[in-house]
Structure formats: structure tokens, C-alpha cells
Amino acid sequence: MRILRHCASLLCICAALVFSLPSSARAASEYHEKPKVRALTAFVRLDRANYHAQIADALAVLHKLKTALEKAGYEVQTIRITTQPFPEYTRGLSPEETIAFFREYNALAVKEGFDASIGPAMLRDSDDPREAELAAKIIAATTTLESSVVVAGEDGIHWKAVRAAARAVKYLEEHTVHSQGNFNFASTALVPPGTPFYPASYTATEHQFAIGLQSANVVGEALRSTHDPAAAQKAIEDALGSHARAIEAVARRMAQETGWTYHGIDLSPAPIGDVSIGAAMEGFTGVRVGSSGTLSAAALITRALRAIPVRRIGYSGLMLPVLEDSVLAKRWSEGALSLDSLLAYSAVCGTGIDVAPLPGEISEAQLARIIGDMASLAVKWHKPLSARLLPVAGKKAGDRTEFNDPFLVNTTLQPLP
């Protein structure tokens, strides 16, 4: 009996210790899923005359950070290098010389194993719209480079840039295999410099780095633990927050060791394939994404992300990338998701219209209207949004896409709105 009483006492003590732990420590014991690091992104103001040394310096920092995160138990999927808007460092070159330079830069990126954003073609509406056309030609001529056009900012909607972006989308549809070039191009609105996620990423400074997470699995596990909205929000805060703080601690230590500045974490729970944010939302709501309740779930997830006490940057909201998520791609095929519903959800969450497939007969004018709608929403709510549109040449509504990119899920095209 004395032994039993002693064991009971020990159990009580252990229970008391567990419940006295801070919520972040309890989260580590209650939840088992870990996020991956989708992107370790370094920001460099590229100097065309000295870029090899700049890239080598950035890669040394990224590899050091990658090793430290992996030792802490976090898988790193990609390392990335982002520049300022590319017209700033290609000034004086002809279009042909610019494309030749970026072919060399692309070869360096492939050789060294990093993804590369060359920054926006247009940052202001007064910028030359021919740079947007050049961005499309650069993407079509290379394999890993990404770019964008800023179509709205603190000064409002950039309507000239909206039209230039639409022309770039159409060019990439017609001049890249399976029209996949638009995977590397976006129209962005109020996205600040320093986001680690592509294609919107660009920088106004240098010697900084940022982190983007792939954490749809963590959010999904937290949502499966309850059907109560308040409890679900708290579960996401605890589960993802414990990992975000651990990752940030590594990043701050690396900043001290390298002399580079830690810029922050984009907490957006990026999905990939069957690691689906759509499945996570459906598990919580009990209905298909696109049904009533989806907007509430989107808002809940974003509120939880905004409550996590780390240095947040970029979107830091729910991402719904149609073609990168197996469940979202299926719902698009079924017609449960549309451009309008994605914009509606963006009013309370993340990225806007991301990786949305469209029939090839869409016109520049129709593309401009879609991009303009996204920009209007971003300006109205003063939030970062983007549009990554993938019209497919030769395909019409009812046809199946034939993308061969490992990050894209094929789906059935829907009629144009």
C-alpha cells in the first residue's frame, strides 16, 4: 500500500509539473507534427560587376543557417536569393544583353542549388511597362528565375502596371512549355519588401535573411484536436507557435554569428500536394472547401497566425494555392472554388489568387480585370495580396491541365467568369 501511495504521489507531482508548464511547452508534448522550412531567403542588392562574390557570401550564410536548423530538427526544402527590382541593376543593357546576363545568372543558380528572384519589373506605375514584357522574356528564357510586377502600393492601384502584368501573363502562357512560366510570375499589391515567399519576393536592403514555413500539417493536426473555434485558434497558436519560436531562436543566433540581419518569419501555412491546407480546413468544418464555413475557418487560421509572438513578415496569413494543394485542386475541378471565392477568402486571410488555372482563350483584358480586382481588394483592406494566374494555351473549360512540374497538381479547367 505504501508503494501504491508513493506511486500515486509521484503521478500527482508529474501531473502538476505538466500543467504548470507554459502553453508553448505543453504544445510540444501534445502535438507531434513539425513544420518544414519551405524557404530560407537571403536578400542582396545585386551589383552586376561583383555579383559572384555577393552570391558566394549569401550562400555561405544560408548554408550555415540551414545546417543549424537541421540540427534543431527542422527540414529545409529550399534556399533562395532575392534581389532588388532587376531594372535597377541592368540599367544600360539592351534587352538582348539583359536576357544574356540572366541566362548566366540562372546557370549560377542551377549550379549552386538556389532559387532566385530577380525582383519586380515595375515597382511604381511610372516605371517603363516594357520592363514587364522583358521580365516575361527572362522567365521564358531561363529555368529557375522568378519576377513580379507591383500593381498596387501605398499610392493606390497602378493601372498601367495592371495592364502590363496581364500582357506578361499572356506572353508566358504562349511561350513556355505547358504554359508553366506563369508559376514563376506574380502581380503583387502592397506586398512589402523582405517576404521570403516567391514570386513576390524583393528587397530594398541587403545582408538580411528571412524564413518561410511549410506548416499546413501542423495547422491540420491542431484543427483535428477540436471543433470549437476558440479552442482551434488556441491550438494553432500553441502548436505552430512553439516551432516558430524555436526556429526564430536559431535564426537570431545565426544573425549574431554571421553579421546578417534576421528579418522575420512568414508564418503562412504553405501546403504542398497531399500536405493540404484544404484537408485541414475540411477536417475542422466538416464540409468541402468552398462551402459555407470556409471563410470563418480562413479567418480563424489567420487570427491564430497573427497572435504568435515572433517577428512576422510578408503575408503571414492563410495561403490557398489551388495547384499546389491536392484538395484545393480537386475542389477547383468540382467547381466548389472560383476566382471570386478566393478573393472573398482573401478579405480575411492570405495571398489573394494563387496558382489559379484558367482556360487559354482568356484575353489580356480579362486578365487585367482579375488582377485589378485583386489590387482593389488589397488597397481597400490595406493588406498584402497577389495574383498568380496560369492560363493554359490550347486548353478550354472542361479540359485537364498537363503540368509536369512536381509542385503542381493537375486539375480540370473551369469556365471563365
Side-chain angles (χ1 to χ4, degrees), residues 216-262:
N217 58 326
V218 178
V219 171
E221 185 184 25
L223 288 177
R224 286 193 298 272
S225 68
T226 179
H227 290 284
D228 176 74
Q233 180 176 330
K234 184 62 165 59
I236 295 170
E237 291 175 28
D238 287 346
L240 186 56
S242 64
H243 293 297
R245 288 189 289 276
I247 290 168
E248 181 165 84
V250 173
R252 290 190 183 280
R253 187 174 74 250
M254 287 297 102
Q256 291 180 340
E257 292 183 12
T258 63
W260 283 52
T261 300
Y262 163 63

Side-chain angles (χ1 to χ4, degrees), residues 151-153 156-159 161-163 165-166 187-190 338-347 350-354 358 362 364-389 416-417:
V151 297
I157 301 170
H158 303 170
W159 289 111
V162 167
R163 293 188 290 273
S187 307
T188 71
L190 281 93
S338 67
L339 294 174
D340 285 342
S341 63
L342 290 173
L343 281 175
Y345 305 145
S346 295
T351 53
I353 304 172
D354 197 17
L358 300 168
I362 191 169
E364 282 184 21
Q366 288 172 301
L367 288 165
R369 288 197 291 271
I370 296 167
I371 295 167
D373 281 352
M374 178 278 298
S376 296
L377 186 65
V379 170
K380 168 63 178 176
W381 295 116
H382 197 262
K383 63 182 301 181
L385 296 175
S386 57
R388 192 162 36 154
L389 308 174
L416 292 170

